[in-house]
mmCIF file of all heavy atoms in Angstrom:
data_model
loop_
_atom_site.group_PDB
_atom_site.id
_atom_site.type_symbol
_atom_site.label_atom_id
_atom_site.label_comp_id
_atom_site.label_asym_id
_atom_site.label_seq_id
_atom_site.Cartn_x
_atom_site.Cartn_y
_atom_site.Cartn_z
ATOM 1 N N ALA B 453 115.187 128.494 108.786
ATOM 2 C CA ALA B 453 115.566 129.009 107.462
ATOM 3 C C ALA B 453 114.341 129.143 106.556
ATOM 4 O O ALA B 453 114.240 130.085 105.764
ATOM 5 C CB ALA B 453 116.587 128.077 106.803
ATOM 6 N N LYS B 454 113.398 128.217 106.675
ATOM 7 C CA LYS B 454 112.330 128.138 105.675
ATOM 8 C C LYS B 454 110.984 128.714 106.118
ATOM 9 O O LYS B 454 110.209 129.158 105.266
ATOM 10 C CB LYS B 454 112.142 126.678 105.224
ATOM 11 C CG LYS B 454 113.408 126.007 104.687
ATOM 12 C CD LYS B 454 114.001 126.716 103.476
ATOM 13 C CE LYS B 454 115.212 125.973 102.913
ATOM 14 N NZ LYS B 454 115.833 126.694 101.775
ATOM 15 N N MET B 455 110.649 128.669 107.407
ATOM 16 C CA MET B 455 109.335 129.189 107.816
ATOM 17 C C MET B 455 109.164 130.665 107.438
ATOM 18 O O MET B 455 108.095 131.043 106.944
ATOM 19 C CB MET B 455 109.056 128.956 109.307
ATOM 20 C CG MET B 455 108.298 127.680 109.638
ATOM 21 S SD MET B 455 106.747 127.422 108.720
ATOM 22 C CE MET B 455 105.633 128.549 109.570
ATOM 23 N N PRO B 456 110.163 131.516 107.650
ATOM 24 C CA PRO B 456 109.985 132.912 107.230
ATOM 25 C C PRO B 456 109.719 133.031 105.721
ATOM 26 O O PRO B 456 108.895 133.843 105.297
ATOM 27 C CB PRO B 456 111.321 133.559 107.619
ATOM 28 C CG PRO B 456 111.839 132.716 108.749
ATOM 29 C CD PRO B 456 111.420 131.323 108.398
ATOM 30 N N MET B 457 110.392 132.207 104.906
ATOM 31 C CA MET B 457 110.152 132.221 103.457
ATOM 32 C C MET B 457 108.707 131.822 103.148
ATOM 33 O O MET B 457 108.011 132.476 102.365
ATOM 34 C CB MET B 457 111.095 131.242 102.739
ATOM 35 C CG MET B 457 112.567 131.642 102.760
ATOM 36 S SD MET B 457 113.645 130.389 101.963
ATOM 37 C CE MET B 457 113.117 130.502 100.233
ATOM 38 N N ILE B 458 108.278 130.732 103.781
ATOM 39 C CA ILE B 458 106.928 130.212 103.529
ATOM 40 C C ILE B 458 105.875 131.238 103.956
ATOM 41 O O ILE B 458 104.932 131.516 103.222
ATOM 42 C CB ILE B 458 106.733 128.863 104.265
ATOM 43 C CG1 ILE B 458 107.615 127.791 103.619
ATOM 44 C CG2 ILE B 458 105.269 128.442 104.287
ATOM 45 C CD1 ILE B 458 107.804 126.537 104.461
ATOM 46 N N LEU B 459 106.042 131.793 105.146
ATOM 47 C CA LEU B 459 105.068 132.763 105.663
ATOM 48 C C LEU B 459 104.954 133.976 104.735
ATOM 49 O O LEU B 459 103.895 134.593 104.622
ATOM 50 C CB LEU B 459 105.450 133.203 107.080
ATOM 51 C CG LEU B 459 105.241 132.138 108.169
ATOM 52 C CD1 LEU B 459 105.929 132.540 109.471
ATOM 53 C CD2 LEU B 459 103.744 131.885 108.417
ATOM 54 N N ASN B 460 106.057 134.298 104.042
ATOM 55 C CA ASN B 460 106.035 135.416 103.099
ATOM 56 C C ASN B 460 105.705 134.984 101.668
ATOM 57 O O ASN B 460 105.749 135.808 100.749
ATOM 58 C CB ASN B 460 107.396 136.132 103.113
ATOM 59 C CG ASN B 460 107.601 136.900 104.404
ATOM 60 O OD1 ASN B 460 106.706 137.600 104.867
ATOM 61 N ND2 ASN B 460 108.776 136.750 105.007
ATOM 62 N N GLY B 461 105.417 133.697 101.475
ATOM 63 C CA GLY B 461 105.143 133.209 100.123
ATOM 64 C C GLY B 461 106.326 133.370 99.182
ATOM 65 O O GLY B 461 106.172 133.523 97.986
ATOM 66 N N ASN B 462 107.535 133.306 99.752
ATOM 67 C CA ASN B 462 108.756 133.468 98.961
ATOM 68 C C ASN B 462 109.371 132.104 98.656
ATOM 69 O O ASN B 462 109.900 131.453 99.543
ATOM 70 C CB ASN B 462 109.744 134.345 99.748
ATOM 71 C CG ASN B 462 111.144 134.327 99.147
ATOM 72 O OD1 ASN B 462 111.321 133.976 97.976
ATOM 73 N ND2 ASN B 462 112.123 134.695 99.947
ATOM 74 N N PHE B 463 109.276 131.677 97.388
ATOM 75 C CA PHE B 463 109.819 130.367 97.019
ATOM 76 C C PHE B 463 111.005 130.485 96.067
ATOM 77 O O PHE B 463 111.324 129.545 95.337
ATOM 78 C CB PHE B 463 108.703 129.484 96.445
ATOM 79 C CG PHE B 463 107.622 129.199 97.453
ATOM 80 C CD1 PHE B 463 106.422 129.903 97.444
ATOM 81 C CD2 PHE B 463 107.823 128.258 98.448
ATOM 82 C CE1 PHE B 463 105.429 129.657 98.390
ATOM 83 C CE2 PHE B 463 106.849 128.003 99.404
ATOM 84 C CZ PHE B 463 105.654 128.704 99.378
ATOM 85 N N LYS B 464 111.660 131.644 96.095
ATOM 86 C CA LYS B 464 112.874 131.831 95.268
ATOM 87 C C LYS B 464 114.013 130.980 95.820
ATOM 88 O O LYS B 464 114.279 131.007 97.016
ATOM 89 C CB LYS B 464 113.311 133.307 95.328
ATOM 90 C CG LYS B 464 112.602 134.200 94.320
ATOM 91 C CD LYS B 464 113.106 135.646 94.441
ATOM 92 C CE LYS B 464 111.942 136.615 94.363
ATOM 93 N NZ LYS B 464 112.036 137.710 95.351
ATOM 94 N N PRO B 465 114.716 130.241 94.947
ATOM 95 C CA PRO B 465 115.843 129.448 95.470
ATOM 96 C C PRO B 465 117.014 130.377 95.804
ATOM 97 O O PRO B 465 117.168 131.417 95.189
ATOM 98 C CB PRO B 465 116.202 128.556 94.284
ATOM 99 C CG PRO B 465 115.741 129.300 93.066
ATOM 100 C CD PRO B 465 114.580 130.151 93.497
ATOM 101 N N GLY B 466 117.805 130.072 96.754
ATOM 102 C CA GLY B 466 117.981 128.881 97.570
ATOM 103 C C GLY B 466 118.360 127.622 96.790
ATOM 104 O O GLY B 466 119.142 127.659 95.861
ATOM 105 N N PHE B 467 117.837 126.543 97.178
ATOM 106 C CA PHE B 467 118.167 125.239 96.593
ATOM 107 C C PHE B 467 116.941 124.720 95.850
ATOM 108 O O PHE B 467 115.873 124.572 96.428
ATOM 109 C CB PHE B 467 118.589 124.267 97.699
ATOM 110 C CG PHE B 467 119.155 122.974 97.169
ATOM 111 C CD1 PHE B 467 120.420 122.950 96.592
ATOM 112 C CD2 PHE B 467 118.432 121.801 97.231
ATOM 113 C CE1 PHE B 467 120.954 121.761 96.091
ATOM 114 C CE2 PHE B 467 118.953 120.609 96.743
ATOM 115 C CZ PHE B 467 120.214 120.593 96.165
ATOM 116 N N ARG B 468 117.140 124.435 94.564
ATOM 117 C CA ARG B 468 115.999 124.132 93.703
ATOM 118 C C ARG B 468 115.469 122.715 93.885
ATOM 119 O O ARG B 468 116.228 121.761 94.041
ATOM 120 C CB ARG B 468 116.392 124.329 92.233
ATOM 121 C CG ARG B 468 116.756 125.768 91.886
ATOM 122 C CD ARG B 468 116.666 126.030 90.396
ATOM 123 N NE ARG B 468 117.590 125.230 89.612
ATOM 124 C CZ ARG B 468 118.870 125.562 89.381
ATOM 125 N NH1 ARG B 468 119.367 126.675 89.894
ATOM 126 N NH2 ARG B 468 119.642 124.784 88.644
ATOM 127 N N ILE B 469 114.142 122.595 93.827
ATOM 128 C CA ILE B 469 113.467 121.297 93.848
ATOM 129 C C ILE B 469 114.144 120.310 92.890
ATOM 130 O O ILE B 469 114.421 119.164 93.253
ATOM 131 C CB ILE B 469 111.979 121.485 93.412
ATOM 132 C CG1 ILE B 469 111.145 122.110 94.534
ATOM 133 C CG2 ILE B 469 111.368 120.175 92.944
ATOM 134 C CD1 ILE B 469 110.611 121.130 95.546
#
Side-chain angles (χ1 to χ4, degrees):
Chain B
K454 304 300 184 183
M455 267 308 283
M457 292 177 67
I458 292 164
L459 288 167
N460 289 315
N462 168 20
F463 297 100
K464 275 180 223 137
F467 189 73
R468 296 200 298 275
I469 284 275

